[in-house]
Amino acid sequence: MKLALDQSYSTAIAIQLRERGHDVIAAIERDWQTEEDEPLLALCEQEQRALMTNNVGDFIAIIRRWDVEGRRHAGLIFTSDAGMPRGRSTIGPYVRVLDKLLRAN
C-alpha cells in the first residue's frame, strides 16, 4: 500500500515511515498542500496512493459522488483529533500505528 498524508500532518511521519521501508509521501513534499480536496484525491488515485486526512465530511461527499459517477480512488484513511490529535507529540504514535497498518496491507 502506498500512502499520502494531507497537509495537516507532519512530514516527519512520512520520513520515518520511509525509513521503515514504506512508500509514503506528505502532500507538502510534492507541493500538493494548496490542492483542493477533489484534485488531491485525483492525484493520489493517479499514483495509486491511499490518502490520510482528518477532513471526513468533505471527503465522504466526494467519494459518494465519485461512486455514483463510477470513479475510483486508491483509498482513504480518516483520523480524528479526538482519538489522536495531530501535533508534535503524536508523531511517534502515528508512525507506529501506520507502520503496523502498512505492514498488514
Side-chain angles (χ1 to χ4, degrees), residues 11-56:
T11 58
I13 296 169
I15 291 166
Q16 289 181 38
L17 287 168
R18 285 195 300 269
E19 290 170 353
R20 294 176 183 216
H22 301 293
D23 188 345
V24 179
I25 61 158
I28 196 166
E29 294 174 309
R30 291 285 179 88
D31 207 22
W32 293 352
Q33 69 272 15
T34 59
E35 293 289 340
E36 297 291 327
D37 295 340
E38 190 163 356
L40 178 59
L41 191 59
L43 286 167
C44 289
E45 169 58 22
Q46 289 172 3
E47 294 193 8
Q48 286 300 291
R49 291 184 183 282
L51 175 65
M52 186 168 85
T53 183
N54 191 272
N55 188 355
V56 177

Side-chain angles (χ1 to χ4, degrees), residues 57-72:
D58 289 346
F59 279 98
I60 289 292
I62 291 167
I63 63 171
R64 282 183 177 157
R65 184 169 38 78
W66 280 23
D67 186 51
V68 169
E69 295 170 357
R71 292 179 67 184
R72 298 177 42 96

Side-chain angles (χ1 to χ4, degrees), residues 5-11 13 26 52-54 79 86 94:
L5 312 178
D6 83 6
Q7 69 278 2
S8 300
Y9 302 92
S10 171
T11 58
I13 296 169
M52 186 168 85
T53 183
N54 191 272
T79 66
R86 294 162 288 169
Y94 269 110

